[in-house]
Amino acid sequence: MTQFLQAEDLASLEVDKKIGKGQFSEVYRVKNKAGECLALKKIQLHAMKDKKSKDDCMKEIDLLKQLEHENIIRYYASFVVDKELNIVLEIADAGDLSRLIRHFKKNHRLLPEKSVWKYFVQISRGLAYMHSKRIMHRDIKPANVFITSQGVAKLGDLGLGRFFSTQTYKAHSIVGTPYYMSPERMNETGYNFKSDIWSVGCLLYEMAALQSPFFGEKMNLYALVKKIEKCEYPPLPSNIYSQQLRLLISNCICNDPNKRFDAEQVVIIAERMHAHCQGLPLPENPFQQRNSETPSNQPISSES
Ligand SMILES: Nc1ncnc2c1ncn2[C@@H]1O[C@H](COP(=O)(O)OP(=O)(O)OP(=O)(O)O)[C@@H](O)[C@H]1O
């Protein structure tokens, strides 16, 4: 893959078409000199809070450029041209997970458990890799999991939202994603690695239930906050989805961040279940004997 190191390289990118628009950005499909398809994200710098946010955002992008994993959208380069921040990204050509979920919902079908694990194991591998590099995603949700035509799931849109104007960002996050907000984020007690785990648990639930665990018709923000605080969500049907799936969800969606699994634990369970659904023998469950660390009301596993 050609590396883009200079702003001048932007001129050599051939814009194919606009593929999307976000609150602060526009995304284009482009081709480089070698004919490779890439995504070019253009962000208006005036949307940034202040000079410090701009500098911090650039530093964060430099960190993101170091991430190299099959299940994470690559950040190849970034440069500022005409008060616009340009980020050259790997392109995902087959939509995102929210589209897949909507498709199943519209057709009144559930995603088979095998497919849930096929995608989830990839998502959790990407997340465990990010966390191992001490980077949080901060905005895990189905719309930020891209899917390629080869069926590869990739975490994208790594949360740069916090660098944008507080007013715009807060207003936007309330319109956009409050369903996935962890209790500590709601209470503004600080985002941490375990907040990503809460969100990935919500995502796993949504792949099975086809809606967020805390979804409610015509629900106001206050009711949503209460639901989230109480971890109140409808159980998944036990005749359709395995107990392991439900247990993993409950080990991610739990109120106390210290009692949640970490990304490594999530990936181990996901790998086991993915292998199991492929008809391979179940690898040993390392959490079977971990009773002392098991959240009191949430058994880690009870293999059937
Ligand atoms: N690397 C990519 N490959 C393919 N499509 C992408 C890529 N990055 C973004 N897109 C698409 O471009 C659109 C806009 O993305 P963008 O990240 O700018 O905003 P958003 O995340 O949708 O919204 P917001 O930033 O307001 O939360 C989305 O539909 C997204 O699916």
Side-chain angles (χ1 to χ4, degrees):
M1 166 73 223
T2 313
Q3 289 296 310
F4 294 83
L5 299 171
Q6 316 272 345
E8 293 87 79
D9 289 322
L10 188 60
S12 70
L13 292 174
E14 193 187 309
V15 177
D16 191 2
K17 67 168 188 171
K18 186 164 153 178
I19 49 179
K21 189 171 163 34
Q23 174 92 347
F24 316 106
S25 49
E26 290 188 340
V27 182
Y28 297 85
R29 186 168 71 196
V30 294
K31 272 197 188 133
N32 65 9
K33 282 186 206 150
E36 293 161 318
C37 272
L38 300 160
L40 176 67
K41 186 163 178 163
K42 286 176 164 284
I43 305 175
Q44 294 295 327
L45 279 180
H46 66 69
M48 298 265 176
K49 277 189 219 162
D50 47 33
K51 164 97 175 56
K52 180 170 184 314
S53 300
K54 271 179 214 167
D55 295 344
D56 290 349
C57 181
M58 300 299 179
K59 278 190 211 138
E60 177 86 6
I61 293 173
D62 282 338
L63 282 180
L64 300 179
K65 279 188 227 163
Q66 291 167 23
L67 297 178
E68 247 189 290
H69 191 275
E70 195 194 9
N71 302 116
I72 296 180
I73 291 280
R74 278 288 324 256
Y75 279 57
Y76 288 117
S78 58
F79 24 76
V80 175
V81 178
D82 293 336
K83 298 196 175 151
E84 260 182 349
L85 169 61
N86 292 265
I87 311 178
V88 182
L89 302 163
E90 175 181 0
I91 193 158
D93 50 10
D96 59 53
L97 198 57
S98 69
R99 207 168 84 179
L100 184 84
I101 291 172
R102 273 201 309 275
H103 172 82
F104 274 83
K105 198 167 182 169
K106 198 172 134 209
N107 292 299
H108 305 286
R109 285 171 54 207
L110 290 176
L111 209 58
E113 182 153 343
K114 191 177 174 173
S115 308
V116 171
W117 291 115
K118 174 189 143 182
Y119 291 117
F120 189 76
V121 74
Q122 299 182 60
I123 297 163
S124 55
R125 281 175 197 150
L127 185 66
Y129 171 80
M130 275 189 88
H131 284 194
S132 75
K133 302 281 174 194
R134 309 306 297 156
I135 298 177
M136 295 177 238
H137 185 289
R138 296 171 185 271
D139 197 13
I140 296 172
K141 57 180 179 177
N144 288 342
V145 176
F146 295 99
I147 297 177
T148 70
S149 48
Q150 265 84 47
V152 180
K154 291 176 187 269
L155 278 170
D157 214 358
L158 316 180
L160 297 176
R162 68 192 191 284
F163 300 113
F164 298 100
S165 134
T166 323
Q167 222 182 350
T168 1
Y169 180 54
K170 277 209 169 151
H172 173 65
S173 59
I174 284 169
V175 175
T177 33
Y179 286 126
Y180 274 34
M181 280 208 194
S182 54
E184 64 273 14
R185 196 169 194 183
M186 289 278 189
N187 299 324
E188 301 198 349
T189 48
Y191 198 90
N192 60 68
F193 286 93
K194 294 295 185 74
S195 315
D196 273 352
I197 299 296
W198 170 282
S199 306
V200 94
C202 292
L203 186 132
L204 179 57
Y205 179 98
E206 185 159 350
M207 287 170 80
L210 305 181
Q211 65 185 28
S212 152
F214 303 106
F215 174 81
E217 293 286 354
K218 295 185 189 144
M219 191 175 46
N220 62 30
L221 198 57
Y222 178 78
L224 174 64
V225 169
K226 288 285 145 215
K227 262 191 184 195
I228 289 178
E229 276 172 0
K230 288 193 216 148
C231 276
E232 216 176 72
Y233 59 87
L236 290 176
S238 57
N239 57 338
I240 299 174
Y241 290 111
S242 66
Q243 189 176 17
Q244 288 85 347
L245 185 107
R246 286 176 286 123
L247 280 167
L248 180 53
I249 291 167
S250 66
N251 278 303
C252 295
I253 309 183
C254 71
N255 221 300
D256 181 352
N258 296 319
K259 290 183 177 164
R260 284 176 215 153
F261 270 8
D262 62 28
E264 268 308 313
Q265 292 171 309
V266 172
V267 93
I268 288 169
I269 299 291
E271 294 286 3
R272 292 184 90 236
M273 292 309 294
H274 176 58
H276 179 59
C277 291
Q278 303 282 98
L280 301 170
L282 268 179
E284 196 189 321
N285 182 351
F287 305 128
Q288 203 97 58
Q289 305 304 324
R290 282 183 59 251
N291 289 339
S292 56
E293 289 166 52
T294 306
S296 55
N297 58 340
Q298 293 168 354
I300 287 206
S301 174
S302 57
E303 204 80 30
S304 48

